[in-house]
Amino acid sequence: MRITDYLNKECIKIPLSKTTKKGIIEELLELILSVHPEIDKEKAFHCLIEREKIETTAIGDYVAIPHARIKNLAKIYLAFGLSENGINCHSIDGECVKLFFLILFPEEEINAQLKFLARISRLLKDKNLRTKLFKCKDHEKVIDAFKQYEEHHFQ
Amino acid sequence: MKLVIIFLNQIEYLDDLLAAFLEIGVPGATVLDSVGMWHVISHDIPIFAGLRDAFAGSSPTNKTILIVTQEDQIDQIDEVLQDITGYLDETGIAKMVSLQIDKLFGFKF
């Protein structure tokens, strides 16, 4: 499973314009919906907010991975956004979040969700990759950064 | 000699199980408190917290029982485990493996 298989340019936004966690979740969800209008926005947004209530998805190191499991979703959808100034998301290390990855999972595919979350959270533990992402000015650089990293570390 | 490892998820069977092992002459056992990976993942690693409901049926703790025993006692241990827990009829109750031991040190039988 490669993150680059799920990243596409329409679902990458640099910089993010919203300045709250909820706002950014909505902003990233809109990116996915612009490509996949068949997704029920209300339902997806509700599931994402409900997931945040269980425990924060701001996992530290300036990274947040808001995500949700949604019934009858065709596949996994991913959106990425960079907040240049960072947003206070009550992350586990107390740092502001700059890198946001919003993911929608089909509810029935628990194994795929586990693998995807494990892969992306492990990738983002790497300081070099995070530093590269902080400096990205457009979607191509983001996709390139992930591509290079995954090719190097996950043959 | 063999090492039997039993992963007992339904820990309410533990007392009966150990008593039955004594009856069939199991020479001794070590019982460890343990936690399954799914429970740790969904409860201790924040990014996986959304999967708690998916693993709601898994027990928060389990017991790992280690038994060093003669090869001819393996089937008896399995029978006792089946009689008491019915572990082969239903998933999530217990699992058992046996491993060949190369050398033993400090054991007296």
Side-chain angles (χ1 to χ4, degrees):
Chain A
M1 178 176 277
R2 284 172 183 264
I3 302 305
T4 34
D5 293 339
Y6 297 88
L7 263 181
N8 62 67
K9 62 179 182 179
E10 293 85 4
C11 294
I12 294 173
K13 185 151 189 208
I14 301 172
L16 288 161
S17 58
K18 299 287 171 58
T19 54
T20 63
K21 181 162 77 169
K22 254 188 183 175
I24 284 173
I25 286 175
E26 195 167 13
E27 193 175 3
L28 290 173
L29 182 58
E30 288 289 356
L31 292 182
I32 294 175
L33 292 170
S34 68
V35 185
H36 303 283
E38 71 279 8
I39 296 170
D40 182 334
K41 182 187 172 181
E42 296 301 316
K43 191 165 81 175
F45 186 69
H46 173 77
C47 291
L48 286 158
I49 298 302
E50 286 301 304
R51 167 60 188 88
E52 290 298 319
K53 288 179 188 169
I54 297 172
E55 205 161 328
T56 182
T57 59
I59 57 172
D61 295 325
Y62 314 99
V63 174
I65 311 175
H67 61 275
R69 289 158 56 206
I70 295 168
K71 265 185 192 162
N72 303 322
L73 208 63
K75 61 185 185 96
I76 295 171
Y77 299 100
L78 171 65
F80 168 76
L82 172 66
S83 165
E84 287 178 333
N85 296 321
I87 307 288
N88 180 6
C89 292
H90 305 288
S91 67
I92 56 176
D93 62 0
E95 296 287 350
C96 285
V97 174
K98 293 184 174 183
L99 307 172
F100 287 87
F101 294 83
L102 185 137
I103 314 166
L104 303 179
F105 294 104
E107 189 179 62
E108 305 74 21
E109 293 182 28
I110 289 170
N111 279 342
Q113 180 180 350
L114 276 167
K115 282 184 184 173
F116 199 97
L117 287 175
R119 167 59 64 95
I120 199 165
S121 56
R122 212 152 67 86
L123 272 177
L124 293 164
K125 290 234 183 281
D126 190 282
K127 195 179 173 183
N128 292 331
L129 177 62
R130 292 198 308 272
T131 305
K132 256 188 186 176
L133 292 172
F134 292 149
K135 292 175 184 165
C136 285
K137 297 289 179 202
D138 56 51
H139 59 78
E140 280 175 11
K141 294 274 192 312
V142 173
I143 293 170
D144 279 352
F146 270 100
K147 220 175 238 173
Q148 278 177 21
Y149 197 86
E150 287 193 310
E151 275 169 14
H152 187 253
H153 291 272
F154 302 100
Q155 288 303 318
Chain B
M1 295 297 287
K2 296 277 188 178
L3 172 65
V4 175
I5 307 173
I6 297 169
F7 306 99
L8 185 65
N9 291 320
Q10 296 202 358
I11 58 177
E12 62 270 24
Y13 292 118
L14 182 67
D15 293 359
D16 287 345
L17 208 50
L18 294 180
F21 287 160
L22 285 174
E23 281 182 40
I24 62 169
V26 166
T30 298
V31 181
L32 307 173
D33 292 326
S34 42
V35 184
M37 183 178 89
W38 300 124
H39 190 83
V40 174
I41 279 177
S42 59
H43 286 78
D44 296 348
I45 307 177
I47 194 62
F48 296 109
L51 290 158
R52 275 177 204 166
D53 62 329
F55 302 123
S58 66
S59 50
T61 60
N62 51 31
K63 300 282 183 184
T64 301
I65 306 169
L66 307 176
I67 303 167
V68 175
T69 187
Q70 307 280 353
E71 187 161 358
D72 58 13
Q73 202 162 43
I74 303 287
D75 289 342
Q76 274 183 297
I77 291 172
D78 170 48
E79 275 170 31
V80 163
L81 188 59
Q82 282 194 55
D83 285 348
I84 290 175
T85 69
Y87 82 112
L88 294 181
D89 302 326
E90 216 179 300
T91 56
I93 297 175
K95 290 185 177 72
M96 173 176 143
V97 296
S98 74
L99 306 169
Q100 184 66 44
I101 294 173
D102 289 339
K103 285 181 182 176
L104 285 173
F105 301 91
F107 282 86
K108 281 182 186 169
F109 293 99

mmCIF file of all heavy atoms in Angstrom, chain A residues 45-87:
data_model
loop_
_atom_site.group_PDB
_atom_site.id
_atom_site.type_symbol
_atom_site.label_atom_id
_atom_site.label_comp_id
_atom_site.label_asym_id
_atom_site.label_seq_id
_atom_site.Cartn_x
_atom_site.Cartn_y
_atom_site.Cartn_z
ATOM 1 N N PHE A 45 -18.703 14.759 6.910
ATOM 2 C CA PHE A 45 -18.271 15.774 7.877
ATOM 3 C C PHE A 45 -18.650 15.348 9.300
ATOM 4 O O PHE A 45 -17.826 15.445 10.225
ATOM 5 C CB PHE A 45 -18.903 17.127 7.533
ATOM 6 C CG PHE A 45 -18.391 18.253 8.383
ATOM 7 C CD1 PHE A 45 -17.088 18.710 8.254
ATOM 8 C CD2 PHE A 45 -19.208 18.854 9.331
ATOM 9 C CE1 PHE A 45 -16.603 19.750 9.052
ATOM 10 C CE2 PHE A 45 -18.735 19.887 10.136
ATOM 11 C CZ PHE A 45 -17.438 20.334 9.993
ATOM 12 N N HIS A 46 -19.863 14.853 9.441
ATOM 13 C CA HIS A 46 -20.322 14.394 10.758
ATOM 14 C C HIS A 46 -19.402 13.277 11.293
ATOM 15 O O HIS A 46 -18.987 13.314 12.455
ATOM 16 C CB HIS A 46 -21.763 13.894 10.640
ATOM 17 C CG HIS A 46 -22.276 13.257 11.890
ATOM 18 N ND1 HIS A 46 -22.674 14.002 12.986
ATOM 19 C CD2 HIS A 46 -22.431 11.950 12.245
ATOM 20 C CE1 HIS A 46 -23.064 13.184 13.941
ATOM 21 N NE2 HIS A 46 -22.919 11.937 13.525
ATOM 22 N N CYS A 47 -19.085 12.316 10.438
ATOM 23 C CA CYS A 47 -18.219 11.196 10.863
ATOM 24 C C CYS A 47 -16.825 11.699 11.253
ATOM 25 O O CYS A 47 -16.225 11.205 12.215
ATOM 26 C CB CYS A 47 -18.104 10.149 9.768
ATOM 27 S SG CYS A 47 -19.625 9.249 9.464
ATOM 28 N N LEU A 48 -16.308 12.663 10.506
ATOM 29 C CA LEU A 48 -14.968 13.205 10.812
ATOM 30 C C LEU A 48 -14.976 13.912 12.171
ATOM 31 O O LEU A 48 -14.044 13.734 12.971
ATOM 32 C CB LEU A 48 -14.540 14.187 9.712
ATOM 33 C CG LEU A 48 -14.137 13.539 8.381
ATOM 34 C CD1 LEU A 48 -14.244 14.539 7.234
ATOM 35 C CD2 LEU A 48 -12.717 12.975 8.473
ATOM 36 N N ILE A 49 -16.007 14.675 12.429
ATOM 37 C CA ILE A 49 -16.082 15.399 13.706
ATOM 38 C C ILE A 49 -16.295 14.419 14.868
ATOM 39 O O ILE A 49 -15.681 14.558 15.932
ATOM 40 C CB ILE A 49 -17.215 16.457 13.661
ATOM 41 C CG1 ILE A 49 -16.911 17.495 12.574
ATOM 42 C CG2 ILE A 49 -17.413 17.123 15.017
ATOM 43 C CD1 ILE A 49 -15.587 18.235 12.719
ATOM 44 N N GLU A 50 -17.113 13.407 14.636
ATOM 45 C CA GLU A 50 -17.342 12.398 15.680
ATOM 46 C C GLU A 50 -16.044 11.671 16.020
ATOM 47 O O GLU A 50 -15.771 11.364 17.173
ATOM 48 C CB GLU A 50 -18.412 11.388 15.238
ATOM 49 C CG GLU A 50 -19.820 11.933 15.257
ATOM 50 C CD GLU A 50 -20.250 12.418 16.643
ATOM 51 O OE1 GLU A 50 -20.183 11.627 17.592
ATOM 52 O OE2 GLU A 50 -20.623 13.609 16.767
ATOM 53 N N ARG A 51 -15.248 11.379 14.991
ATOM 54 C CA ARG A 51 -13.963 10.706 15.237
ATOM 55 C C ARG A 51 -13.046 11.586 16.078
ATOM 56 O O ARG A 51 -12.355 11.099 16.975
ATOM 57 C CB ARG A 51 -13.301 10.337 13.902
ATOM 58 C CG ARG A 51 -11.833 9.914 13.992
ATOM 59 C CD ARG A 51 -11.618 8.688 14.869
ATOM 60 N NE ARG A 51 -10.196 8.417 15.081
ATOM 61 C CZ ARG A 51 -9.478 8.947 16.062
ATOM 62 N NH1 ARG A 51 -10.036 9.778 16.945
ATOM 63 N NH2 ARG A 51 -8.206 8.637 16.212
ATOM 64 N N GLU A 52 -13.063 12.879 15.824
ATOM 65 C CA GLU A 52 -12.210 13.794 16.610
ATOM 66 C C GLU A 52 -12.616 13.789 18.081
ATOM 67 O O GLU A 52 -11.785 14.025 18.957
ATOM 68 C CB GLU A 52 -12.298 15.219 16.057
ATOM 69 C CG GLU A 52 -11.641 15.412 14.702
ATOM 70 C CD GLU A 52 -10.143 15.145 14.695
ATOM 71 O OE1 GLU A 52 -9.444 15.542 15.636
ATOM 72 O OE2 GLU A 52 -9.680 14.503 13.733
ATOM 73 N N LYS A 53 -13.888 13.522 18.341
ATOM 74 C CA LYS A 53 -14.354 13.525 19.731
ATOM 75 C C LYS A 53 -13.814 12.331 20.525
ATOM 76 O O LYS A 53 -13.682 12.402 21.737
ATOM 77 C CB LYS A 53 -15.894 13.502 19.774
ATOM 78 C CG LYS A 53 -16.532 14.815 19.359
ATOM 79 C CD LYS A 53 -18.051 14.682 19.421
ATOM 80 C CE LYS A 53 -18.718 15.903 18.828
ATOM 81 N NZ LYS A 53 -20.173 15.686 18.631
ATOM 82 N N ILE A 54 -13.531 11.241 19.843
ATOM 83 C CA ILE A 54 -13.020 10.042 20.545
ATOM 84 C C ILE A 54 -11.626 10.337 21.105
ATOM 85 O O ILE A 54 -11.347 10.127 22.272
ATOM 86 C CB ILE A 54 -12.956 8.816 19.599
ATOM 87 C CG1 ILE A 54 -14.359 8.459 19.114
ATOM 88 C CG2 ILE A 54 -12.326 7.616 20.312
ATOM 89 C CD1 ILE A 54 -14.363 7.387 18.024
ATOM 90 N N GLU A 55 -10.771 10.826 20.274
ATOM 91 C CA GLU A 55 -9.397 11.185 20.656
ATOM 92 C C GLU A 55 -8.806 12.000 19.514
ATOM 93 O O GLU A 55 -9.136 11.763 18.351
ATOM 94 C CB GLU A 55 -8.549 9.929 20.912
ATOM 95 C CG GLU A 55 -7.403 10.195 21.837
ATOM 96 C CD GLU A 55 -6.837 8.914 22.480
ATOM 97 O OE1 GLU A 55 -7.588 7.953 22.719
ATOM 98 O OE2 GLU A 55 -5.649 8.901 22.728
ATOM 99 N N THR A 56 -7.912 12.912 19.854
ATOM 100 C CA THR A 56 -7.384 13.785 18.803
ATOM 101 C C THR A 56 -6.643 12.984 17.721
ATOM 102 O O THR A 56 -6.005 11.968 18.009
ATOM 103 C CB THR A 56 -6.425 14.841 19.390
ATOM 104 O OG1 THR A 56 -5.968 15.691 18.337
ATOM 105 C CG2 THR A 56 -5.220 14.211 20.076
ATOM 106 N N THR A 57 -6.748 13.471 16.502
ATOM 107 C CA THR A 57 -5.959 12.861 15.418
ATOM 108 C C THR A 57 -4.701 13.699 15.141
ATOM 109 O O THR A 57 -3.987 13.431 14.180
ATOM 110 C CB THR A 57 -6.790 12.758 14.119
ATOM 111 O OG1 THR A 57 -7.208 14.066 13.738
ATOM 112 C CG2 THR A 57 -7.988 11.850 14.308
ATOM 113 N N ALA A 58 -4.483 14.703 15.993
ATOM 114 C CA ALA A 58 -3.244 15.487 15.887
ATOM 115 C C ALA A 58 -2.174 14.714 16.652
ATOM 116 O O ALA A 58 -2.088 14.767 17.877
ATOM 117 C CB ALA A 58 -3.448 16.873 16.480
ATOM 118 N N ILE A 59 -1.372 13.952 15.905
ATOM 119 C CA ILE A 59 -0.515 12.932 16.515
ATOM 120 C C ILE A 59 0.860 13.453 16.922
ATOM 121 O O ILE A 59 1.723 12.682 17.333
ATOM 122 C CB ILE A 59 -0.358 11.706 15.580
ATOM 123 C CG1 ILE A 59 0.215 12.142 14.226
ATOM 124 C CG2 ILE A 59 -1.690 11.004 15.409
ATOM 125 C CD1 ILE A 59 0.590 10.979 13.314
ATOM 126 N N GLY A 60 1.053 14.748 16.814
ATOM 127 C CA GLY A 60 2.351 15.300 17.190
ATOM 128 C C GLY A 60 3.232 15.529 15.986
ATOM 129 O O GLY A 60 2.892 15.150 14.855
ATOM 130 N N ASP A 61 4.370 16.208 16.213
ATOM 131 C CA ASP A 61 5.315 16.512 15.133
ATOM 132 C C ASP A 61 4.661 17.336 14.019
ATOM 133 O O ASP A 61 4.953 17.129 12.841
ATOM 134 C CB ASP A 61 5.924 15.228 14.541
ATOM 135 C CG ASP A 61 6.770 14.482 15.545
ATOM 136 O OD1 ASP A 61 7.428 15.136 16.373
ATOM 137 O OD2 ASP A 61 6.753 13.236 15.512
ATOM 138 N N TYR A 62 3.705 18.185 14.391
ATOM 139 C CA TYR A 62 3.050 19.108 13.444
ATOM 140 C C TYR A 62 2.111 18.399 12.464
ATOM 141 O O TYR A 62 1.793 18.930 11.406
ATOM 142 C CB TYR A 62 4.090 19.934 12.663
ATOM 143 C CG TYR A 62 5.177 20.504 13.530
ATOM 144 C CD1 TYR A 62 6.426 19.872 13.615
ATOM 145 C CD2 TYR A 62 4.961 21.644 14.296
ATOM 146 C CE1 TYR A 62 7.420 20.375 14.441
ATOM 147 C CE2 TYR A 62 5.950 22.152 15.121
ATOM 148 C CZ TYR A 62 7.176 21.507 15.183
ATOM 149 O OH TYR A 62 8.154 21.999 16.003
ATOM 150 N N VAL A 63 1.692 17.187 12.826
ATOM 151 C CA VAL A 63 0.882 16.383 11.900
ATOM 152 C C VAL A 63 -0.496 16.091 12.499
ATOM 153 O O VAL A 63 -0.610 15.766 13.680
ATOM 154 C CB VAL A 63 1.580 15.022 11.614
ATOM 155 C CG1 VAL A 63 0.694 14.115 10.764
ATOM 156 C CG2 VAL A 63 2.927 15.240 10.942
ATOM 157 N N ALA A 64 -1.524 16.211 11.673
ATOM 158 C CA ALA A 64 -2.862 15.730 12.047
ATOM 159 C C ALA A 64 -3.407 14.883 10.907
ATOM 160 O O ALA A 64 -3.180 15.192 9.728
ATOM 161 C CB ALA A 64 -3.804 16.892 12.337
ATOM 162 N N ILE A 65 -4.098 13.822 11.282
ATOM 163 C CA ILE A 65 -4.677 12.919 10.281
ATOM 164 C C ILE A 65 -6.156 12.730 10.590
ATOM 165 O O ILE A 65 -6.576 11.656 11.029
ATOM 166 C CB ILE A 65 -3.923 11.554 10.267
ATOM 167 C CG1 ILE A 65 -2.406 11.776 10.199
ATOM 168 C CG2 ILE A 65 -4.395 10.693 9.105
ATOM 169 C CD1 ILE A 65 -1.580 10.492 10.298
ATOM 170 N N PRO A 66 -6.970 13.772 10.388
ATOM 171 C CA PRO A 66 -8.405 13.571 10.604
ATOM 172 C C PRO A 66 -8.933 12.521 9.632
ATOM 173 O O PRO A 66 -8.575 12.544 8.443
ATOM 174 C CB PRO A 66 -9.008 14.958 10.330
ATOM 175 C CG PRO A 66 -7.973 15.728 9.608
ATOM 176 C CD PRO A 66 -6.657 15.141 9.970
ATOM 177 N N HIS A 67 -9.716 11.599 10.138
ATOM 178 C CA HIS A 67 -10.204 10.523 9.270
ATOM 179 C C HIS A 67 -11.526 9.991 9.807
ATOM 180 O O HIS A 67 -11.881 10.252 10.960
ATOM 181 C CB HIS A 67 -9.170 9.391 9.187
ATOM 182 C CG HIS A 67 -8.871 8.749 10.514
ATOM 183 N ND1 HIS A 67 -7.943 9.268 11.395
ATOM 184 C CD2 HIS A 67 -9.403 7.677 11.136
ATOM 185 C CE1 HIS A 67 -7.893 8.508 12.479
ATOM 186 N NE2 HIS A 67 -8.778 7.541 12.356
ATOM 187 N N ALA A 68 -12.201 9.230 8.983
ATOM 188 C CA ALA A 68 -13.468 8.650 9.410
ATOM 189 C C ALA A 68 -13.788 7.442 8.553
ATOM 190 O O ALA A 68 -13.306 7.331 7.417
ATOM 191 C CB ALA A 68 -14.584 9.679 9.285
ATOM 192 N N ARG A 69 -14.570 6.551 9.150
ATOM 193 C CA ARG A 69 -15.075 5.393 8.399
ATOM 194 C C ARG A 69 -16.494 5.716 7.968
ATOM 195 O O ARG A 69 -17.317 6.126 8.787
ATOM 196 C CB ARG A 69 -15.069 4.152 9.282
ATOM 197 C CG ARG A 69 -13.672 3.650 9.559
ATOM 198 C CD ARG A 69 -13.625 2.796 10.801
ATOM 199 N NE ARG A 69 -14.546 1.686 10.736
ATOM 200 C CZ ARG A 69 -15.060 1.122 11.827
ATOM 201 N NH1 ARG A 69 -14.767 1.570 13.013
ATOM 202 N NH2 ARG A 69 -15.877 0.114 11.711
ATOM 203 N N ILE A 70 -16.747 5.504 6.685
ATOM 204 C CA ILE A 70 -18.052 5.892 6.134
ATOM 205 C C ILE A 70 -18.670 4.717 5.382
ATOM 206 O O ILE A 70 -17.991 4.042 4.597
ATOM 207 C CB ILE A 70 -17.884 7.117 5.212
ATOM 208 C CG1 ILE A 70 -17.412 8.286 6.094
ATOM 209 C CG2 ILE A 70 -19.179 7.466 4.510
ATOM 210 C CD1 ILE A 70 -16.929 9.464 5.339
ATOM 211 N N LYS A 71 -19.934 4.507 5.660
ATOM 212 C CA LYS A 71 -20.648 3.389 5.020
ATOM 213 C C LYS A 71 -20.738 3.580 3.513
ATOM 214 O O LYS A 71 -20.951 4.700 3.033
ATOM 215 C CB LYS A 71 -22.080 3.310 5.581
ATOM 216 C CG LYS A 71 -22.216 2.332 6.715
ATOM 217 C CD LYS A 71 -23.654 2.206 7.150
ATOM 218 C CE LYS A 71 -23.669 1.448 8.468
ATOM 219 N NZ LYS A 71 -24.885 1.603 9.208
ATOM 220 N N ASN A 72 -20.618 2.465 2.801
ATOM 221 C CA ASN A 72 -20.828 2.430 1.343
ATOM 222 C C ASN A 72 -19.899 3.354 0.553
ATOM 223 O O ASN A 72 -20.282 3.843 -0.513
ATOM 224 C CB ASN A 72 -22.286 2.777 1.008
ATOM 225 C CG ASN A 72 -23.244 1.839 1.696
ATOM 226 O OD1 ASN A 72 -22.986 0.645 1.809
ATOM 227 N ND2 ASN A 72 -24.338 2.381 2.202
ATOM 228 N N LEU A 73 -18.731 3.592 1.067
ATOM 229 C CA LEU A 73 -17.748 4.380 0.324
ATOM 230 C C LEU A 73 -17.042 3.439 -0.663
ATOM 231 O O LEU A 73 -16.733 2.306 -0.310
ATOM 232 C CB LEU A 73 -16.737 4.973 1.315
ATOM 233 C CG LEU A 73 -16.052 6.277 0.936
ATOM 234 C CD1 LEU A 73 -17.074 7.393 0.801
ATOM 235 C CD2 LEU A 73 -15.025 6.659 1.997
ATOM 236 N N ALA A 74 -16.788 3.932 -1.868
ATOM 237 C CA ALA A 74 -16.219 3.046 -2.892
ATOM 238 C C ALA A 74 -14.769 2.675 -2.603
ATOM 239 O O ALA A 74 -14.325 1.568 -2.876
ATOM 240 C CB ALA A 74 -16.328 3.719 -4.254
ATOM 241 N N LYS A 75 -14.014 3.617 -2.064
ATOM 242 C CA LYS A 75 -12.590 3.364 -1.822
ATOM 243 C C LYS A 75 -12.056 4.362 -0.799
ATOM 244 O O LYS A 75 -12.831 5.149 -0.248
ATOM 245 C CB LYS A 75 -11.801 3.449 -3.127
ATOM 246 C CG LYS A 75 -11.878 4.817 -3.801
ATOM 247 C CD LYS A 75 -11.181 4.771 -5.148
ATOM 248 C CE LYS A 75 -11.125 6.116 -5.813
ATOM 249 N NZ LYS A 75 -9.933 6.883 -5.654
ATOM 250 N N ILE A 76 -10.740 4.338 -0.611
ATOM 251 C CA ILE A 76 -10.117 5.289 0.315
ATOM 252 C C ILE A 76 -9.883 6.609 -0.439
ATOM 253 O O ILE A 76 -9.408 6.601 -1.579
ATOM 254 C CB ILE A 76 -8.769 4.732 0.833
ATOM 255 C CG1 ILE A 76 -8.994 3.473 1.680
ATOM 256 C CG2 ILE A 76 -8.022 5.789 1.640
ATOM 257 C CD1 ILE A 76 -7.726 2.731 2.060
ATOM 258 N N TYR A 77 -10.211 7.722 0.214
ATOM 259 C CA TYR A 77 -9.955 9.044 -0.366
ATOM 260 C C TYR A 77 -9.030 9.822 0.573
ATOM 261 O O TYR A 77 -9.208 9.804 1.789
ATOM 262 C CB TYR A 77 -11.264 9.814 -0.549
ATOM 263 C CG TYR A 77 -12.220 9.129 -1.483
ATOM 264 C CD1 TYR A 77 -13.288 8.379 -0.986
ATOM 265 C CD2 TYR A 77 -12.062 9.213 -2.863
ATOM 266 C CE1 TYR A 77 -14.166 7.738 -1.841
ATOM 267 C CE2 TYR A 77 -12.941 8.574 -3.726
ATOM 268 C CZ TYR A 77 -13.993 7.834 -3.209
ATOM 269 O OH TYR A 77 -14.850 7.192 -4.061
ATOM 270 N N LEU A 78 -8.079 10.520 -0.040
ATOM 271 C CA LEU A 78 -7.086 11.249 0.739
ATOM 272 C C LEU A 78 -6.956 12.690 0.243
ATOM 273 O O LEU A 78 -6.956 12.941 -0.966
ATOM 274 C CB LEU A 78 -5.726 10.541 0.598
ATOM 275 C CG LEU A 78 -4.477 11.237 1.143
ATOM 276 C CD1 LEU A 78 -4.546 11.372 2.668
ATOM 277 C CD2 LEU A 78 -3.229 10.440 0.764
ATOM 278 N N ALA A 79 -6.872 13.619 1.182
ATOM 279 C CA ALA A 79 -6.576 15.012 0.824
ATOM 280 C C ALA A 79 -5.475 15.513 1.745
ATOM 281 O O ALA A 79 -5.388 15.110 2.913
ATOM 282 C CB ALA A 79 -7.818 15.877 0.976
ATOM 283 N N PHE A 80 -4.627 16.387 1.203
ATOM 284 C CA PHE A 80 -3.524 16.941 1.988
ATOM 285 C C PHE A 80 -3.568 18.464 1.937
ATOM 286 O O PHE A 80 -3.855 19.055 0.891
ATOM 287 C CB PHE A 80 -2.180 16.454 1.442
ATOM 288 C CG PHE A 80 -1.002 17.204 2.017
ATOM 289 C CD1 PHE A 80 -0.560 16.944 3.303
ATOM 290 C CD2 PHE A 80 -0.346 18.188 1.273
ATOM 291 C CE1 PHE A 80 0.514 17.657 3.845
ATOM 292 C CE2 PHE A 80 0.724 18.899 1.801
ATOM 293 C CZ PHE A 80 1.154 18.627 3.094
ATOM 294 N N GLY A 81 -3.269 19.070 3.077
ATOM 295 C CA GLY A 81 -3.169 20.521 3.113
ATOM 296 C C GLY A 81 -2.056 20.964 4.042
ATOM 297 O O GLY A 81 -1.762 20.298 5.042
ATOM 298 N N LEU A 82 -1.434 22.089 3.671
ATOM 299 C CA LEU A 82 -0.357 22.642 4.497
ATOM 300 C C LEU A 82 -0.797 23.989 5.058
ATOM 301 O O LEU A 82 -1.205 24.884 4.299
ATOM 302 C CB LEU A 82 0.902 22.815 3.637
ATOM 303 C CG LEU A 82 2.083 23.550 4.276
ATOM 304 C CD1 LEU A 82 2.666 22.761 5.441
ATOM 305 C CD2 LEU A 82 3.173 23.812 3.237
ATOM 306 N N SER A 83 -0.725 24.098 6.364
ATOM 307 C CA SER A 83 -1.017 25.369 7.011
ATOM 308 C C SER A 83 0.322 26.017 7.350
ATOM 309 O O SER A 83 1.086 25.475 8.149
ATOM 310 C CB SER A 83 -1.836 25.128 8.286
ATOM 311 O OG SER A 83 -1.841 26.283 9.082
ATOM 312 N N GLU A 84 0.599 27.137 6.740
ATOM 313 C CA GLU A 84 1.942 27.714 6.891
ATOM 314 C C GLU A 84 2.237 28.174 8.317
ATOM 315 O O GLU A 84 3.360 28.045 8.807
ATOM 316 C CB GLU A 84 2.124 28.850 5.889
ATOM 317 C CG GLU A 84 2.277 28.294 4.476
ATOM 318 C CD GLU A 84 2.417 29.369 3.413
ATOM 319 O OE1 GLU A 84 1.902 30.480 3.641
ATOM 320 O OE2 GLU A 84 3.011 29.076 2.373
ATOM 321 N N ASN A 85 1.227 28.694 8.977
ATOM 322 C CA ASN A 85 1.456 29.186 10.348
ATOM 323 C C ASN A 85 1.148 28.154 11.426
ATOM 324 O O ASN A 85 1.506 28.352 12.581
ATOM 325 C CB ASN A 85 0.626 30.448 10.594
ATOM 326 C CG ASN A 85 1.064 31.572 9.682
ATOM 327 O OD1 ASN A 85 2.258 31.747 9.427
ATOM 328 N ND2 ASN A 85 0.115 32.310 9.148
ATOM 329 N N GLY A 86 0.470 27.107 11.048
ATOM 330 C CA GLY A 86 0.115 26.094 12.038
ATOM 331 C C GLY A 86 -1.172 26.443 12.773
ATOM 332 O O GLY A 86 -1.500 27.615 12.934
ATOM 333 N N ILE A 87 -1.879 25.404 13.195
ATOM 334 C CA ILE A 87 -3.175 25.564 13.865
ATOM 335 C C ILE A 87 -3.107 24.819 15.190
ATOM 336 O O ILE A 87 -2.566 23.711 15.260
ATOM 337 C CB ILE A 87 -4.303 24.909 13.026
ATOM 338 C CG1 ILE A 87 -4.297 25.416 11.584
ATOM 339 C CG2 ILE A 87 -5.666 25.105 13.689
ATOM 340 C CD1 ILE A 87 -4.760 26.817 11.412
#
